[in-house]
Amino acid sequence: MHVQEWLETVPAVAVYALVGIVIGLESLGIPLPGEIILVSSALLASQHGDIDPVVLGACATAGAIIGDSIGYAIGRKGGRPLLAWLGGKFPRHFSEAHIATAERSFQKWGMWAVFFGRFVALLRIFAGPLAGVLRMPYWKFLTANVLGGILWAGGTTAVIYYVGIVAESWLKRFSWLGLVAAALIGVTSMLVLKRKARQTASAAEPTPTPAPVGD
């Protein structure tokens, strides 16, 4: 079943909780489709009034910030052995090549890697734990984490929600125009057929024979 179709079957409170939990788990280092869930939920909010986009964005933002903070704490305590363990459990996401790429990004950009990493699927999973492993000062991490979480989670929710509203309005307008166009085509076709029928009937009528001239 499609994600959005499944979300339509659960109450709004469950959608809020699901978004916050999935994004939180993804942010602390567990590979989950947080972005897919967020986009699907925001699109659903634009189509159904039961889901409040502000509450949805707040839950997504809280999940992102809290999850990243927990990931930082785990990474700081577990160190590199933690990355090795994650590589064994999730080789596709925590391979040595991926870890090396993320680490180079952190060494080059520092706290900006945490901020911009929120918008990149790979770095979004690595950001919290790797910042802890590399012993990034917590105040720097927290600043980038909060700003990135608000901009990514809240911004994504707002953009997708308003895009959904505009798209739905456009589709409704398109349907209305389509109905009007269909009606006009129908009326025009009927008038054309009636005209052709009259022309055919006129052509089929016998031509009156002139009366004979008297002797």
Side-chain angles (χ1 to χ4, degrees):
M1 183 182 292
H2 192 273
V3 172
Q4 189 171 347
E5 293 176 352
W6 179 79
L7 288 172
E8 290 178 352
T9 65
V10 300
V13 174
V15 174
Y16 301 145
L18 180 68
V19 168
I21 291 171
V22 171
I23 291 178
L25 291 175
E26 181 190 38
S27 298
L28 67 83
I30 299 176
L32 290 175
E35 194 167 42
I36 294 175
I37 295 293
L38 178 58
V39 169
S40 299
S41 300
L43 192 58
L44 185 63
S46 70
Q47 300 168 353
H48 298 276
D50 294 340
I51 300 177
D52 188 332
V54 176
V55 177
L56 182 66
C59 291
T61 302
I65 295 172
I66 294 171
D68 244 13
S69 297
I70 295 174
Y72 175 90
I74 293 173
R76 192 173 181 90
K77 185 174 182 179
R80 292 193 176 275
L82 173 65
L83 296 180
W85 180 82
L86 289 173
K89 293 292 183 181
F90 307 103
R92 181 180 174 184
H93 297 87
F94 288 89
S95 65
E96 292 183 5
H98 286 170
I99 292 175
T101 300
E103 190 168 352
R104 284 195 298 271
S105 299
F106 269 71
Q107 290 173 346
K108 183 176 182 180
W109 302 104
M111 64 183 293
W112 291 109
V114 177
F115 177 82
F116 289 112
R118 179 60 65 183
F119 300 88
V120 181
L122 179 64
L123 287 178
R124 189 161 56 245
I125 298 172
F126 281 128
L130 192 56
V133 170
L134 297 178
R135 302 280 175 171
M136 177 182 290
Y138 184 68
W139 71 268
K140 288 186 176 182
F141 169 80
L142 183 62
T143 301
N145 178 26
V146 170
L147 294 178
I150 292 173
L151 190 59
W152 175 74
T156 299
T157 302
V159 169
I160 297 300
Y161 175 77
Y162 285 112
V163 166
I165 291 290
V166 171
E168 187 175 13
S169 175
W170 183 84
L171 288 174
K172 286 181 179 178
R173 186 164 60 250
F174 176 80
S175 300
W176 181 81
L177 290 174
L179 180 62
V180 172
L184 290 176
I185 292 172
V187 171
T188 303
S189 301
M190 183 179 64
L191 293 176
V192 169
L193 289 174
K194 281 187 175 183
R195 182 181 178 184
K196 285 185 176 293
R198 283 197 300 266
Q199 290 174 347
T200 303
S202 298
E205 288 179 357
T207 304
T209 305
V213 178
D215 295 333

